[in-house]
Amino acid sequence: MGHFLRIAELGLAVTWYSYGIMAVPKRSSSVNCWICNAPANSGEHRVKSAALQVIFSKPINQGSPLYYWTDLDWKRIGSVKADRLKFPQLICDLCNTTTTQPHDMAWQRLIEFVHRDCTSLSPGDRIDLWKIFPDSPVKGMIGVQLYFAKLMGCIMAESKKSFELTSFSSAILHNTPHPHLYLTFGTMPNAPKQAGQSDVYREGSSVSFIHTVGMLSVIVLHAPDGEDRLGKKNAWHPTALSDSLEISCI
């Protein structure tokens, strides 16, 4: 189905699931931001740099690097902000910072809670969203959903395939939930410490990918009206108005 790229620290295999992505972001002044159509000059992290710091729990620098596996060899990564860990420049700086920063922060709050307050995750466990977003679990989770809307849009824009991006950009720009984006939160029992993401998988008009940070994985599914996909089961969606997340086996 594809090939693996890996990020690792010594003694720990950390899988970066990837199918057909570029090993090094390419720069192009002719590409416009897929969110707002301004000139693209910013590369989104495939996994947020702050999230990598959480799961590796040590400073990442030239003296204590990560290693990024390509098809040929290991590449030394001395910073979580390295270009090798980013998408190509597919969005503009304004969209990657000001516009989507609240969404990034919502995801970071969820990641930090899981790895700070949950000693383990098992299928069937439930995460109390009030403990993460005490002002409004639904509002907080809409931010998480819009973070994954940005991530899915970047994966789609990077691919050579034809994808509909208008609904994703509209949701982000208007700060409103995407009506057809579902998030299933889960864990991989006995999996090693890992971080990464897959390319999108298409089935009919539905597309999905998996994003993993430490012991938490998320299946991100875009399923238009009328598409009854297995990925909708136990998935979080804004219409659910749930104040907890059920952990599935992924």
Side-chain angles (χ1 to χ4, degrees):
M1 183 176 177
H3 61 275
F4 289 120
L5 298 182
R6 297 174 183 267
I7 306 172
E9 58 182 343
L10 294 179
L12 290 174
V14 182
T15 304
W16 184 282
Y17 301 100
S18 176
Y19 307 105
I21 65 172
M22 302 175 188
V24 181
K26 295 185 178 181
R27 311 303 186 198
S28 174
S29 60
S30 63
V31 176
N32 286 343
C33 172
W34 66 264
I35 298 175
C36 73
N37 207 37
N41 59 3
S42 184
E44 167 68 5
H45 282 82
R46 297 182 188 277
V47 175
K48 301 304 294 182
S49 58
L52 289 175
Q53 291 284 17
V54 168
I55 65 168
F56 286 110
S57 64
K58 69 172 188 177
I60 307 302
N61 51 46
Q62 293 298 329
S64 180
L66 298 176
Y67 291 88
Y68 185 96
W69 175 255
T70 69
D71 285 339
L72 301 176
D73 57 9
W74 291 97
K75 301 295 184 182
R76 185 185 181 96
I77 301 295
S79 169
V80 292
K81 296 184 181 296
D83 280 352
R84 288 186 181 276
L85 305 183
K86 298 179 182 179
F87 288 97
Q89 293 180 345
L90 299 170
I91 55 181
C92 69
D93 184 67
L94 180 64
C95 283
N96 201 19
T97 54
T98 304
T99 302
T100 60
Q101 186 179 50
H103 314 150
D104 294 355
M105 292 305 298
W107 170 237
Q108 186 65 23
R109 287 175 68 176
L110 177 55
I111 285 296
E112 289 179 352
F113 175 85
V114 167
H115 290 87
R116 182 188 65 234
D117 294 352
C118 301
T119 56
S120 64
L121 283 181
S122 300
D125 288 350
R126 301 195 75 90
I127 296 175
D128 184 355
L129 292 174
W130 283 106
K131 294 181 178 179
I132 307 171
F133 307 111
D135 294 334
S136 172
V138 172
K139 182 179 178 180
M141 284 303 299
I142 289 173
V144 172
Q145 191 216 39
L146 292 177
Y147 166 74
F148 282 108
K150 176 173 68 168
L151 209 60
M152 178 170 272
C154 286
I155 297 173
M156 290 175 168
E158 182 187 33
S159 77
K160 302 300 182 182
K161 303 172 184 177
S162 175
F163 289 106
E164 178 276 314
L165 290 171
T166 303
S167 63
F168 294 88
S169 60
S170 178
I172 291 170
L173 290 173
H174 293 92
N175 199 37
T176 56
H178 193 298
H180 307 307
L181 197 63
Y182 298 81
L183 307 178
T184 300
F185 294 83
T187 190
M188 302 179 187
N190 303 315
K193 185 184 293 187
Q194 56 188 338
Q197 72 189 29
S198 71
D199 195 2
V200 290
Y201 171 72
R202 174 179 273 170
E203 182 180 3
S205 58
S206 297
V207 292
S208 62
F209 73 96
I210 299 176
H211 187 82
T212 297
V213 177
M215 59 182 171
L216 183 66
S217 294
V218 185
I219 299 175
V220 184
L221 170 69
H222 178 240
D225 285 335
E227 292 266 351
D228 186 17
R229 297 298 179 191
L230 182 63
K232 287 185 177 182
K233 185 179 181 180
N234 297 329
W236 183 91
H237 185 268
T239 58
L241 300 178
S242 176
D243 57 4
S244 66
L245 295 179
E246 181 177 350
I247 299 300
S248 301
C249 182
I250 294 180

